[in-house]
Amino acid sequence: INGVVVVPSLELSATFPISGISNFYRVDLVRGSGAAGRPLRLRVQPPLNDLEQGAWNQKRLRHWYSVTEFKPEKAVLFQCYRGETASDNQFEIFNELKRRQPEIRCYWGDTDGSVEIPDDAERLIIGSQEWYQKLGSVEYLCNNIDFDRFFTRRGHQKFLQTFHGHPFKAMGKSFWENAGYDRESIDFEIKRRRNAWTTALMPNTESVAYY
């Protein structure tokens, strides 16, 4: 920390790795790979358990999500960007929904447990098995970006894509063309995203043609 290298005792080093999970983060104490006393490394990550943490487990959970037939649940899953915040269109839609139907169950996808979400929402850590399960079971999804490629909307689900503002930037087809995507990849991305939505929210009539 601040340039200070901490070298643990041999007795303590022998117990590594040590992991701890709170509501907000997962902390792993591991030995470094250097030869100079194998310095202590402190790794802070989202609060995912041992069966959720890491690329291999995420690949396994995505496969589980893709092959599982989930029981429909009358609830809404809100997500804003990649879970770094609870704001934008989702926040206002959530408030209005709760005003009209206070009894409806609402979940909110959060990247690491530190995001301040509405009091009436239930927190879901993105990447947890519970998050994948709700992503496949809830009847209503509301996001301002697209879910990743593994996402498959089930027949019982409706997905409101709100985007986030006015389309005055390189995005979609033009963005992918400038990034060097081939025609097949662009067609795939357009089709999968369009098929995911059931409703798209426009900020004004001028934006309809762009979206």
Side-chain angles (χ1 to χ4, degrees), residues 64-156:
W64 171 78
Y65 161 85
S66 69
V67 300
T68 300
E69 185 175 340
F70 295 101
K71 180 180 178 180
E73 177 185 359
K74 188 173 183 179
V76 187
L77 171 56
F78 289 92
Q79 197 163 300
C80 190
Y81 301 105
R82 296 193 175 276
E84 311 94 330
T85 182
S87 61
D88 207 60
N89 293 306
Q90 282 57 44
F91 185 72
E92 295 302 328
I93 293 171
F94 171 86
N95 287 336
E96 182 63 17
L97 177 62
K98 277 296 184 177
R99 186 185 70 82
R100 298 187 185 195
Q101 299 185 53
E103 75 286 352
I104 195 165
R105 194 168 193 176
C106 294
Y107 301 100
W108 202 293
D110 172 12
T111 185
D112 61 8
S114 66
V115 174
E116 184 177 352
I117 66 172
D119 292 338
D120 293 339
E122 299 180 45
R123 187 186 307 274
L124 294 174
I125 301 300
I126 296 173
S128 66
Q129 182 165 350
E130 184 181 18
W131 176 77
Y132 282 106
Q133 189 270 322
K134 297 302 181 186
L135 192 61
S137 65
V138 300
E139 294 184 0
Y140 303 98
L141 301 160
C142 184
N143 202 347
N144 65 348
I145 64 171
D146 293 304
F147 293 105
D148 289 335
R149 283 191 174 191
F150 73 89
F151 172 75
T152 302
R153 179 173 54 83
R154 271 56 176 182
H156 64 270

Side-chain angles (χ1 to χ4, degrees), residues 23-43:
N23 291 332
F24 301 104
Y25 45 75
R26 173 193 175 111
V27 176
D28 295 300
L29 298 174
V30 297
R31 288 178 292 186
S33 58
R38 297 179 68 85
L40 172 68
R41 293 177 57 204
L42 181 66
R43 187 168 57 212

Side-chain angles (χ1 to χ4, degrees), residues 169-183 186:
K169 63 180 181 181
M171 59 184 292
K173 181 180 177 182
S174 60
F175 176 83
W176 296 322
E177 287 175 340
N178 291 333
Y181 282 41
D182 58 39
R183 182 70 257 168
I186 293 175

Side-chain angles (χ1 to χ4, degrees), residues 179-194:
Y181 282 41
D182 58 39
R183 182 70 257 168
E184 184 178 351
S185 297
I186 293 175
D187 289 344
F188 172 81
E189 285 299 326
I190 291 174
K191 182 177 180 180
R192 82 163 183 92
R193 293 166 192 252
R194 182 183 295 160

